[in-house]
């Protein structure tokens, strides 16, 4: 009878999850892409990180809003999956996992947060923290959100730092045997839940003890542990240096026995490699080019070559208030890169607040997509800014010819010609965008399906489309995120779009584009336009 009930529950969960998504699951890989295993169709992971690894061991925000409302907000913001964090000790130490939610909050003195849970999610208080974790996973599945279970730390706490003793195999709070035990427990516990599509075996390996030989030994064991107990899952593996470096795989590949389930992951922030000040002190073109190349060399290369593997950018993020100049410039560069590579990604983070962080209750998370009260996005134009990276831009099964989208990452807008009989161009939400054909430097930019070309009328004037195809274009600057042409006076003019002024795209003299650009103090972001190749209409 018990076996029958388990099968019935599995069938019911499969029905509800399948009814709410456009793919059938489980997931697999095909070359550099994540795909739906039964059909082979590409599935793009557009995820958000949701923390449940902190001291309370409860998904953040359940004191602010009912669980179904929080999950519903994810879909409305464009996310189709959650990287849901957990701490090893939640599952390996009964003194943690057997705590009720009520007990967990009482021991930390979080009485106000506990009262909020009693108001918004009263049924959780008597559950153990593990049962509550599973309730959240079930609600995500019910609403059609895929789940990646991310082993974030061992000891429940904020991550990460070189000296937190949570960073690498053998650290005080990172016993490899206990870690493998935790992976086994989690892989087995969530086996019957189709919404759980992957396990990320450890977040941001780091610290003074990190070692390549040890990495090869334990990530192989970790992957084999997950795959043996739950072979349907993708196995997501991080590198070294806070998840920023897989370059050692160029010399020695990781030999695995879990076939088309392997995915690598990487992280990228403005502060990666200590570069936060560079985004303000160096010219944006220069620092964007430098960090793009570093990402290519250390991480993105795994998607290339004879045996490409998918790369999941499992963390990136910025101050969502828009108050940090370095973050703002980084984001424009990142969006151009992520669109060009059509990466799978997970944003840090959903949570607008933490129950407790740095000994401060109700801690405000400025990188949170939601505001501190979990009412609405911090950035009112959030969806518009990130629209293009939500879409599948490269489909490995498409037979359509490749053309380009002209993308302005500072605004998140795309170049559009509303009416093919019109000469007017504008930048607008990438829900609506024109496609273009560009053969390379010093060639025309043609409007796909017409004989018209992108044409400069003069400095400071709107760019048009015309039967006059005399304007030839080239990609300029170190970052390759600008389109320029030369006017009759021999001036180098760039596409330029300032959303605060109008939706009209102008041609203005190119900023910081000469040999002395490294000393230029002007910010050329309004002139950042990226040609994004696509074979999807």
């Amino acid at each position: 009878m018990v076996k029958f009930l388990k099968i019935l529950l599995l069938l019911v969960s499969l029905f509800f999850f399948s009814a709410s998504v456009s793919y059938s699951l489980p997931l697999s890989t095909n070359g550099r892409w994540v795909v739906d295993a039964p059909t082979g169709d590409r599935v793009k992971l557009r995820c958000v990180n949701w923390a449940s690894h902190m001291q309370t061991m409860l998904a953040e925000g359940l004191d602010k809003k009912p669980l179904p409302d929080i999950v519903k907000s994810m879909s409305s913001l464009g996310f189709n999956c959650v990287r849901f964090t957990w701490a090893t000790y939640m599952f390996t130490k009964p003194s943690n996992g057997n705590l009720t939610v009520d007990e967990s909050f009482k021991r930390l003195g979080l009485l106000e947060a506990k009262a909020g849970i009693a108001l918004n999610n009263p049924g959780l208080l008597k559950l153990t923290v593990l049962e509550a974790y599973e309730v959240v996973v079930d609600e995500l599945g019910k609403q059609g959100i895929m789940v990646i279970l991310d082993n974030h730390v061992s000891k429940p706490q904020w991550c990460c730092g070189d000296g937190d003793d949570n960073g690498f195999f053998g650290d005080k709070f990172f016993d490899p045997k206990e870690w493998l035990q935790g992976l086994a427990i989690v892989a087995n516990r969530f086996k019957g839940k189709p919404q759980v599509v992957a396990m990320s075996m450890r977040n941001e390996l780091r610290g003074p003890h990190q070692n390549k030989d040890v990495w090869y030994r334990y990530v192989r064991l970790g992957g084999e542990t997950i795959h043996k107990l739950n072979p349907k899952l993708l196995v997501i593996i991080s590198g070294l240096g806070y998840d920023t470096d897989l370059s050692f795989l160029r010399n020695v590949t990781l030999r695995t026995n879990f076939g088309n389930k392997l995915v690598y992951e990487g992280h990228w922030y403005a502060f990666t490699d200590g570069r936060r000040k560079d985004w303000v002190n160096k010219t944006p073109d220069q620092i964007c080019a430098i960090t793009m190349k570093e990402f290519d060399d250390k991480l993105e290369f795994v998607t290339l070559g004879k045996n490409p593997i998918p790369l999941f950018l499992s963390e990136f993020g910025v101050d969502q208030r828009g108050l940090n100049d370095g973050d703002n410039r980084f984001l424009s560069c990142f969006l151009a890169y992520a669109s060009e590579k059509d990466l799978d990604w997970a944003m840090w983070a959903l949570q607008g607040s933490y129950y407790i962080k740095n000994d401060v209750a109700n801690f405000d998370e400025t990188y949170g997509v939601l505001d501190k009260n979990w009412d609405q996005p911090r950035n009112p134009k959030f969806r518009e800014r990130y629209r293009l990276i939500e879409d599948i831009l490269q489909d490995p099964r498409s037979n359509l010819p490749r053309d380009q989208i002209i993308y302005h990452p500072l605004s998140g807008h795309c170049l559009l010609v509303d009416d093919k009989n019109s000469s007017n161009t504008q930048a607008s939400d990438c829900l609506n965008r024109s496609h273009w054909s560009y053969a390379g430097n010093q060639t025309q930019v043609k409007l796909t399906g017409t004989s018209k070309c992108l044409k400069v009328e003069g400095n400071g004037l709107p760019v048009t489309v015309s039967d006059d195809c005399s304007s030839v274009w080239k990609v300029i600057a170190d970052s390759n995120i600008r389109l320029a042409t030369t006017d009759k006076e021999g001036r180098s003019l760039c596409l330029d779009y300032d959303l605060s002024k109008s939706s009209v795209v102008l041609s203005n003299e190119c900023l910081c584009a000469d040999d002395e650009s490294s000393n230029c103090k002007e910010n050329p972001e309004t002139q950042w336009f990226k040609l994004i190749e696509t074979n999807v209409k």
Side-chain angles (χ1 to χ4, degrees), residues 317-324 327-328 331 366-368 378 386:
V318 296
D319 185 334
Q320 291 288 342
R321 299 169 301 174
L323 302 178
N324 186 303
D327 277 359
N328 294 343
L331 182 59
T366 59
Y367 277 44
R378 279 178 197 270
Y386 294 90

Side-chain angles (χ1 to χ4, degrees), residues 369-438:
V369 174
L370 298 175
D371 64 17
K372 191 174 182 180
N373 293 320
W374 295 62
D375 288 324
Q376 58 192 356
R378 279 178 197 270
N379 177 358
K381 293 187 176 181
F382 174 86
R383 192 77 191 271
E384 194 173 316
R385 183 73 190 276
Y386 294 90
R387 182 89 65 189
L388 191 62
I389 65 168
E390 293 178 16
D391 291 350
I392 291 177
L393 301 171
Q394 299 179 40
D395 183 351
R397 306 183 82 181
S398 172
N399 294 318
L400 294 175
R402 292 181 178 270
D403 49 25
Q404 287 87 26
I405 298 163
I406 301 178
Y407 177 51
H408 187 253
L410 177 61
S411 63
H413 288 179
C414 294
L415 195 62
L416 173 69
V417 179
D418 258 340
D419 183 345
K420 290 186 178 180
N421 294 316
S422 169
S423 63
N424 299 322
T425 66
Q426 62 177 309
S428 70
D429 189 318
C430 286
L431 275 174
N432 301 301
R433 60 207 186 213
S434 296
H435 285 227
W436 307 83
S437 174
Y438 179 63

Side-chain angles (χ1 to χ4, degrees), residues 88-150:
T88 301
Y89 290 0
M90 288 167 58
F91 292 89
T92 60
K93 294 189 183 302
S95 58
N96 285 326
N98 289 340
L99 280 174
T100 65
V101 172
D102 182 86
E103 291 168 341
S104 178
F105 279 72
K106 278 183 179 176
R107 73 192 172 106
L108 294 167
L110 298 174
L111 301 184
E112 185 176 340
K114 187 172 83 74
I117 296 169
L119 177 66
N120 289 293
N121 296 282
L124 295 180
L125 286 173
K126 293 183 179 180
L127 299 181
T128 67
V129 293
L130 294 189
E131 290 169 337
Y133 188 89
E134 191 162 351
V135 166
V136 174
V137 171
D138 288 344
E139 182 62 34
L140 289 164
K142 183 179 178 182
Q143 295 198 39
I145 301 290
M146 295 179 287
V147 181
I148 296 169
L149 301 176
D150 169 61

Side-chain angles (χ1 to χ4, degrees), residues 38 43 88 113 123 165 192 215 225 232 272 307 316 321 339 373 489 506 508:
V43 175
T88 301
D165 293 321
W215 181 90
T225 298
K232 291 184 177 181
T272 296
N307 298 297
F316 78 95
R321 299 169 301 174
S339 300
N373 293 320
E489 285 74 38
L506 306 176
N508 284 321

Side-chain angles (χ1 to χ4, degrees), residues 229-417:
L229 289 166
N230 196 338
K232 291 184 177 181
L233 296 180
L234 296 178
V235 178
I236 300 176
I237 296 178
S238 65
L240 299 174
Y242 289 86
D243 225 347
T244 65
D245 189 6
L246 289 163
S247 60
F248 48 89
L249 291 173
R250 291 179 182 274
N251 299 320
V252 181
T253 59
L254 178 66
R255 296 180 180 178
T256 67
N257 65 355
F258 34 94
N260 57 357
K261 296 294 184 178
L262 172 62
V263 175
Y264 288 117
E265 66 178 314
H267 292 178
W268 193 9
Y269 292 93
F271 53 77
T272 296
D273 292 331
R275 292 198 178 277
R276 185 185 289 282
K277 290 183 179 179
D278 288 348
W279 286 98
V280 177
N281 296 334
K282 294 186 177 182
T283 63
D285 277 318
Q286 183 184 34
I287 186 60
C288 183
I290 289 170
T291 56
M292 281 181 173
K293 186 176 188 308
E294 287 177 346
F295 195 88
D296 281 342
D297 292 345
K298 292 183 177 181
L299 291 167
E300 197 268 340
F301 74 92
V302 301
T303 69
L304 308 174
K306 294 181 180 179
N307 298 297
I309 305 294
L311 178 69
F312 175 43
L313 186 64
S314 57
E315 281 189 31
F316 78 95
V318 296
D319 185 334
Q320 291 288 342
R321 299 169 301 174
L323 302 178
N324 186 303
D325 289 341
D327 277 359
N328 294 343
R329 292 179 179 185
F330 159 78
L331 182 59
S332 294
C333 177
F334 168 82
L335 290 173
Y337 184 92
S339 300
E340 179 186 28
K341 304 294 185 178
D342 203 10
L343 294 173
D344 298 280
W345 50 265
M347 185 182 298
W348 188 274
L350 177 71
Q351 57 269 8
S353 63
Y354 297 96
Y355 303 120
I356 186 169
K357 180 187 171 186
N358 299 338
D359 297 323
V360 177
N362 194 29
F363 189 96
D364 189 14
E365 172 57 281
T366 59
Y367 277 44
V369 174
L370 298 175
D371 64 17
K372 191 174 182 180
N373 293 320
W374 295 62
D375 288 324
Q376 58 192 356
R378 279 178 197 270
N379 177 358
K381 293 187 176 181
F382 174 86
R383 192 77 191 271
E384 194 173 316
R385 183 73 190 276
Y386 294 90
R387 182 89 65 189
L388 191 62
I389 65 168
E390 293 178 16
D391 291 350
I392 291 177
L393 301 171
Q394 299 179 40
D395 183 351
R397 306 183 82 181
S398 172
N399 294 318
L400 294 175
R402 292 181 178 270
D403 49 25
Q404 287 87 26
I405 298 163
I406 301 178
Y407 177 51
H408 187 253
L410 177 61
S411 63
H413 288 179
C414 294
L415 195 62
L416 173 69
V417 179

